[in-house]
Amino acid sequence: MCPQPEDSTPHSTGPPDRQILRLLERHLASDSLVAETEFDPDSYEPRLLHALLDAGRYPESIETARLDIRWFTTGNFSIHYVEEHDDEMLWECRWDRHPNNHNSRLHFHQPPDATDVTDLTFSSLHPLEVYSTVLTAVDQRLETLWSNQ
């Protein structure tokens, strides 16, 4: 019996969806909150999209903030929001959709350390709807940060 390829295992996310990653990159690149975008390993065969957020929009105690986005041809995804604070602490959360043993396929890793997980529902799983939901949450996080100053 031949071994199964990694992408066909029961808990596999599948291969990267390069078209969706490029679509999301175009939207992020035009968003005023985003300072720059970068594909990993490159734009020809992206597996991961990084969006560095504009540090000028954050309080001084936050050195960097970014989104790391993975999207797969199976409709699975991971959108990881990370803030790096000047005291070397991280504040992070993650929206995920993938088969797993810990929660429903669609779930959220809660801040501040993304370890507590809760089930999640979206009205639509279209990539631009998910993108909009995540950016709204980032905007709300910014409002909270500034209101606590």
Side-chain angles (χ1 to χ4, degrees):
M1 183 168 149
C2 295
Q4 290 185 331
E6 187 174 321
D7 288 340
S8 65
T9 60
H11 294 287
S12 173
T13 53
D17 191 325
R18 294 180 179 107
Q19 288 182 321
I20 297 300
L21 288 171
R22 288 182 183 109
L23 171 71
L24 294 172
E25 190 277 335
R26 286 191 302 274
H27 282 267
L28 285 162
S30 66
D31 193 297
S32 63
L33 179 60
V34 178
E36 69 180 73
T37 60
E38 179 182 33
F39 288 112
D40 186 10
D42 57 46
S43 62
Y44 298 106
E45 294 191 25
R47 288 190 291 268
L48 174 65
L49 171 60
H50 300 285
L52 182 62
L53 305 182
D54 182 358
R57 303 273 303 268
Y58 286 83
E60 287 184 22
S61 62
I62 299 180
E63 293 182 346
T64 63
R66 71 176 191 276
L67 289 169
D68 296 326
I69 302 171
R70 297 175 190 276
W71 206 283
F72 304 94
T73 58
T74 57
N76 293 321
F77 60 82
S78 175
I79 303 177
H80 191 188
Y81 173 77
V82 182
E83 294 171 3
E84 296 178 18
H85 293 241
D86 59 8
D87 59 4
E88 298 184 14
M89 295 211 30
L90 295 180
W91 191 97
E92 57 187 316
C93 59
R94 194 171 71 238
W95 295 261
D96 283 347
R97 183 175 190 254
H98 62 86
N100 65 80
N101 294 327
H102 56 78
N103 278 77
S104 69
R105 185 174 179 195
L106 182 60
H107 55 277
F108 179 67
H109 294 257
Q110 298 179 37
D113 57 9
T115 54
D116 291 332
V117 183
T118 185
D119 289 344
L120 185 62
T121 58
F122 282 148
S123 59
S124 168
L125 291 173
H126 187 280
L128 293 180
E129 293 292 329
V130 174
Y131 161 85
S132 176
T133 299
V134 170
L135 267 285
T136 298
V138 172
D139 284 339
Q140 290 170 348
R141 170 66 179 158
L142 277 168
E143 288 177 22
T144 300
L145 286 168
W146 283 108
S147 68
N148 291 334
Q149 289 292 301

